Amino acid sequence: AIDAGIYTAEATVRTYARLLDLARELLGAGWPVIVDAAFLRRAERDAFRALAAELGVGFEILYCSAPAAELRQRVSSRRGDASEATTEVLDKQFGWFEAAADAELPLLRSR
């Protein structure tokens, strides 16, 4: 359901906290890290930017965008992939999106 399972606010917080812990551990061991997540909210991005600054490693944001209609079409045409997201989930995520802050703009790499 759209407000259950992995789509609850609590699950999202836990997921990003776990990703942050893993990134810290891997970076601390000298490994390069790419974190693959939606990062729709500024606070989610800020936490990872702060970790990179703390550890003295580079940080960039790969910013991908497409028109809403294209995203809906892509999600609705998925078959047999790892994502269980639906167009209803996508529509909810549109409401969560926070545009990049001025401080983030130099970090964006668009695709």
Side-chain angles (χ1 to χ4, degrees):
I2 199 161
D3 288 319
I6 65 170
Y7 295 108
T8 64
E10 180 183 320
T12 297
V13 168
R14 283 194 320 264
T15 297
Y16 280 92
R18 178 68 175 137
L19 289 172
L20 191 66
D21 288 344
L22 290 170
R24 177 183 298 282
E25 183 177 331
L26 291 168
L27 289 167
W31 290 92
V33 173
I34 296 173
V35 181
D36 181 2
F39 288 102
L40 299 173
R41 295 182 178 104
R42 195 170 299 119
E44 295 161 353
R45 300 185 300 267
D46 286 348
F48 286 82
R49 184 165 45 122
L51 175 63
E54 174 189 327
L55 298 178
V57 298
F59 178 82
E60 293 182 341
I61 299 169
L62 179 59
Y63 179 76
C64 303
S65 66
E70 173 69 17
L71 295 174
R72 284 188 188 92
Q73 188 280 325
R74 289 179 188 183
V75 169
S76 65
S77 67
R78 286 178 170 169
R79 301 289 183 269
D81 68 5
S83 177
E84 70 294 317
T86 63
T87 54
E88 292 79 18
V89 171
L90 178 65
D91 288 337
K92 186 164 186 169
Q93 288 177 328
F94 288 141
W96 297 339
F97 177 71
E98 295 176 2
D102 289 345
E104 292 177 295
L105 296 178
L107 305 170
L108 297 183
R109 303 297 173 257
S110 298
R111 295 284 178 236

